[in-house]
Amino acid sequence: MTEANTRNRQPSMADVARTAGVSAQTVSRALRDSPNVNPETRRRVLAAVDELGYRFNNAAKMLSSGRSHSIGLVLLQSGGYYSRSAVTAGVEAAAGRAGYSVSIATIADLDTAQMERSLSKLADQGVDGIVIAVPLISVTRKMEDITSDIPTVTVDGSRTAGARVLGIDQREAGRVATQHLLDLGHRQVWHVAGPDEWIEARQRRQGWQECLAAAGIEAPPPLEGDWSPRSGYRQGQILAMIPDVTAVFAASDEMAFGLIKALREKGRAVPGDVSIVSVDDIELAAYCHPPLTTVRQDFYRSGEAAVALLLDDESAAQTEVAAATLSVRSSTAAPRTR
Amino acid sequence: MTEANTRNRQPSMADVARTAGVSAQTVSRALRDSPNVNPETRRRVLAAVDELGYRFNNAAKMLSSGRSHSIGLVLLQSGGYYSRSAVTAGVEAAAGRAGYSVSIATIADLDTAQMERSLSKLADQGVDGIVIAVPLISVTRKMEDITSDIPTVTVDGSRTAGARVLGIDQREAGRVATQHLLDLGHRQVWHVAGPDEWIEARQRRQGWQECLAAAGIEAPPPLEGDWSPRSGYRQGQILAMIPDVTAVFAASDEMAFGLIKALREKGRAVPGDVSIVSVDDIELAAYCHPPLTTVRQDFYRSGEAAVALLLDDESAAQTEVAAATLSVRSSTAAPRTR
DNA sequence: CGAGACTATGTTATCGATGCCATGAGTAAC
DNA sequence: GTTACTCATGGCATCGATAACATAGTCTCG
């Protein structure tokens, strides 16, 4: 009589079975694999499903099969909207294709306690696997416990006992960027790095250092930002006060935006006085002024690869590497000849 | 002997009960509410939980309680990395605070079939509620079925029978932006809109039209982009060929970036010759050249509000409105006096 | 034509937590 | 001192699907 009454409970497999005139087990078989089910029976079952608007109960399925067919994704709330979205999309797409759903757990800051909480939350949900898309600073006992129970992949190169590592070669990105500047004739390359807790940041910095070292150049002290355009702007103000700077490698496009703004304000033209290379190749990189020369990395593919690594037991040891390719635009040029 | 063997099944409530010397039922009570449990008993239970590393089984809980304590979030893969991330973060944060987890389902394009599939997927997972963060073009029977079974909130203003609507007043954004240009002395304001299927886009366009109408100005035909900087660039090339254009309202910051680039290339200075206002206030808006005057909208808050609306039955009819505030920077100026 | 293999289907136990009811201990009230 | 009631806890059925086992019928082949 009341409205609540109209909302009967969802039909169950037993209801379908009754309607189709078969047993629940047969319904289960008809709906999943199909080793041995009479086509005619299956037709009847499907008809009944359709008629009743049956929708299988995931909880029950999960309870009896022990698998949730869902994977967890740990993200950082701040810091690089771009790569975060791209990884998410890649993970979700690959998971979806494999019949898995994705649960997200974001952490506000790179903080051990929050990380533990997120992992616990995902573990409580019973995810079959976890993709960690943020750097693990220090791995606690509790994290180890969880990651050794549940297959885990980290996409940033952090290591923990149970977790496989998907290597995106960030050093390569640093090398490519730096080498490009050297090739243009610059004698020195400065660097605005990301936060040191991020493996990405460390690796890019390493690539930069290695590249300079290989060219026999002593690297200047790196400046450090936090990925944000604002931090790039800050560091740019500092760089603008150093006379000899002709080339800068920024660890992210967003920081490069800030960098350019600061340099311009101090009367340093880009690329006339200072060349800038960064990493990410976000969509806007081509539409700022000047268009950014930047190293493209396929985060979407990384997300996909992470899921593949997670679900495919065979390729256990395989760590895929996303190649780094340079998009040359107009923020770099040969140094001004004196 | 084999490695598989080492991975014993997770301890269950019964195991905890045995260890603590109580019944499973008592464990259940001790771990949840607490109407009638002896403090000493609870202590023993908690100790046992800790000792065994017990982690409750979500599937079982869900099966017996009928609630999954998870909500689904439908996102569009492409189109505006920014707002997508912000909404996601807001949803996840609010859901997390309420003890809910978030499952995502992305769709590649605005396509009815994909939308149906995503909703089905979420429904199959047994989510307790759904937040739809993409526009529903046409609502099919199947979608209605799902949204009437499961509480649903759409954050973009699309309407469907079962879904509540979280109104973010996009018309207001359009009005604020247009009015700003008129206040500066512009006699006409052009518009580069988002795709017409997006309610956001339509509403912003309406706001623009209404504002012009109120000022007694006949609106020029709107141009249409797809939110991407590239599409802004295309439309900018067209606008640059029209002599009288002095002010443009772009429906997103990203399109404004493209617009500015195109105008600049055709020799039209921003804001000297053409003023530009857009919407979103992404972080980079302040760091491009010139810094964008743009309307800020708090998508994070929208995400939070959507969850609140979903979980809080009381405020059923309440549609929260995120205010639109203008960030005035340097992409707008008074028109050149002749 | 009978043994073994294979097909299509039904029966029963089970996953792990919870809801409901039962029970015994302690306690307040008359 | 018996009634009535609360508190703390245990026992059992249950949620819905599945795995494992069971069974009746069909087919194949020597």
Side-chain angles (χ1 to χ4, degrees), chain B residues 302-321:
Chain B
S302 305
E304 291 184 314
V307 174
L309 202 54
L310 203 57
L311 301 181
D312 183 7
D313 281 10
E314 297 312 307
S315 63
Q318 171 190 349
T319 53
E320 274 193 54
V321 176

Side-chain angles (χ1 to χ4, degrees), chain B residues 106-322:
Chain B
T106 63
I107 58 181
D109 311 286
L110 280 181
D111 171 300
T112 308
Q114 290 187 47
M115 190 71 202
E116 282 185 352
R117 223 174 305 135
S118 292
L119 288 176
S120 291
K121 211 174 120 183
L122 291 175
D124 283 347
Q125 275 176 68
V127 295
D128 289 341
I130 296 178
V131 175
I132 300 180
V134 300
L136 293 165
I137 317 172
S138 64
V139 178
T140 62
R141 174 112 169 61
K142 191 166 173 187
M143 292 185 205
E144 294 269 6
D145 281 352
I146 294 174
T147 56
S148 65
D149 272 354
I150 303 174
T152 303
V153 169
T154 62
V155 292
D156 75 330
S158 308
R159 286 193 172 281
T160 163
R164 285 177 204 157
V165 178
L166 178 69
I168 316 180
D169 195 348
Q170 301 290 345
R171 289 215 309 282
E172 179 65 11
R175 251 183 259 121
V176 167
T178 308
Q179 191 60 49
H180 170 65
L181 292 168
L182 293 180
D183 288 347
L184 285 170
H186 293 273
R187 320 300 291 272
Q188 180 58 289
V189 176
W190 291 70
H191 180 40
V192 178
D196 205 53
E197 309 97 60
W198 286 73
I199 311 250
E200 277 104 322
R202 279 214 291 280
Q203 288 188 342
R204 287 174 193 172
R205 178 161 52 67
Q206 276 169 27
W208 161 74
Q209 272 166 333
E210 286 167 17
C211 184
L212 288 181
I217 300 171
E218 190 184 351
L223 304 176
E224 186 177 318
D226 64 5
W227 302 126
S228 72
R230 181 188 178 72
S231 70
Y233 182 74
R234 286 274 174 74
Q235 302 306 317
Q237 290 178 316
I238 295 173
L239 283 171
M241 294 189 287
I242 305 174
D244 291 339
V245 175
T246 69
V248 181
F249 162 44
S252 81
D253 286 348
E254 302 214 325
M255 291 199 293
F257 271 75
L259 201 50
I260 290 174
K261 180 181 162 84
L263 290 172
R264 191 199 315 274
E265 285 176 6
K266 300 279 185 181
R268 306 286 274 275
V270 176
D273 298 314
V274 182
S275 286
I276 294 184
V277 182
S278 51
V279 185
D280 274 352
D281 202 4
I282 62 175
E283 235 184 327
L284 286 179
Y287 294 91
C288 73
H289 184 72
L292 288 178
T293 293
T294 179
V295 179
R296 158 181 292 271
Q297 283 182 303
D298 199 336
F299 284 101
Y300 184 88
R301 276 258 324 267
S302 305
E304 291 184 314
V307 174
L309 202 54
L310 203 57
L311 301 181
D312 183 7
D313 281 10
E314 297 312 307
S315 63
Q318 171 190 349
T319 53
E320 274 193 54
V321 176

